[in-house]
Amino acid sequence: GYRLKKEAGFIAGTSELHNNVVYPLLRRFTSEKLIRSRVVPGKRGQTRTEYSLTAKGHEFLIQKLSETSEMQSGEDFLIRLGLFALLDLSTRLRILEERSKSIKEREARLAGIEKALPMNRYGTEVMNYLAAKTKLERDLIERVAAKEKKRR
């Protein structure tokens, strides 16, 4: 649990996830047979609980990673991208194409906002930040997609 809290927190962009988030999820995933737990000896004589994915959990993870309807934030997408090795090539390409469309829609929305609203220096700073962040993600998607297409 401790290592999981640290690693999940790192992925989520925080120092660690709180016990009130991690342990209820571990209990739920264990009861749904998505993960299994076992008690093992710790390094200093104490015991610790080790968790691992079951076959059902692996299938569930693949299913969730393959879905694109939940791709809202850039951070969620980056987590998914970091786990791309678990997905087959056609699924990876489909997800990249859908994310690319989403980015184009975001760029159009940002351009519309810039045209429609008068911008003060703060609004301009925010719009520049959002445009730069969107461009970085678009460039990443294009690089990954180009590498994936070479694998065909």
Side-chain angles (χ1 to χ4, degrees):
Y2 176 77
R3 192 174 102 207
L4 181 63
K5 284 181 7 181
K6 289 286 190 189
E7 290 175 5
F10 173 76
I11 289 170
T14 173
S15 60
E16 67 181 49
L17 293 182
H18 194 276
N19 288 347
N20 293 343
V21 173
V22 173
Y23 291 103
L25 285 173
L26 288 172
R27 281 191 297 278
R28 186 179 116 209
F29 293 159
T30 301
S31 72
E32 292 175 7
K33 302 200 182 328
L34 299 174
I35 61 173
R36 72 175 71 76
S37 65
R38 68 184 186 126
V39 177
V40 297
K43 292 182 181 175
R44 293 178 295 254
Q46 80 286 16
T47 60
R48 60 186 188 88
T49 305
E50 220 174 56
Y51 298 91
S52 59
L53 275 178
T54 62
K56 181 181 176 183
H58 188 264
E59 288 175 22
F60 180 78
L61 176 61
I62 298 300
Q63 174 193 344
K64 286 297 184 188
L65 290 174
S66 299
E67 293 173 1
T68 53
S69 61
E70 295 177 17
M71 270 197 277
Q72 302 300 323
S73 76
E75 289 76 18
D76 289 344
F77 177 75
L78 292 175
I79 292 169
R80 183 176 305 219
L81 184 61
L83 298 170
F84 253 28
L86 298 171
L87 303 174
D88 62 68
L89 178 61
S90 64
T91 302
R92 293 192 305 263
L93 289 172
R94 178 182 51 78
I95 291 170
L96 290 168
E97 180 60 34
E98 290 181 28
R99 189 62 180 184
S100 182
K101 287 178 189 174
S102 172
I103 290 170
K104 287 176 185 168
E105 290 169 4
R106 185 184 331 146
E107 288 172 327
R109 280 193 311 274
L110 290 173
I113 291 169
E114 270 190 307
K115 286 181 183 177
L117 297 176
M119 291 288 157
N120 59 32
R121 66 179 183 224
Y122 303 109
T124 300
E125 283 296 323
V126 170
M127 293 305 289
N128 289 342
Y129 169 80
L130 292 172
K133 186 176 173 182
T134 300
K135 182 185 180 324
L136 281 171
E137 187 176 345
R138 182 175 22 88
D139 292 348
L140 173 64
I141 299 295
E142 289 172 358
R143 277 194 316 274
V144 172
K147 289 177 183 176
E148 291 296 320
K149 288 174 183 172
K150 286 181 182 178
R151 294 175 188 224
R152 282 185 170 174

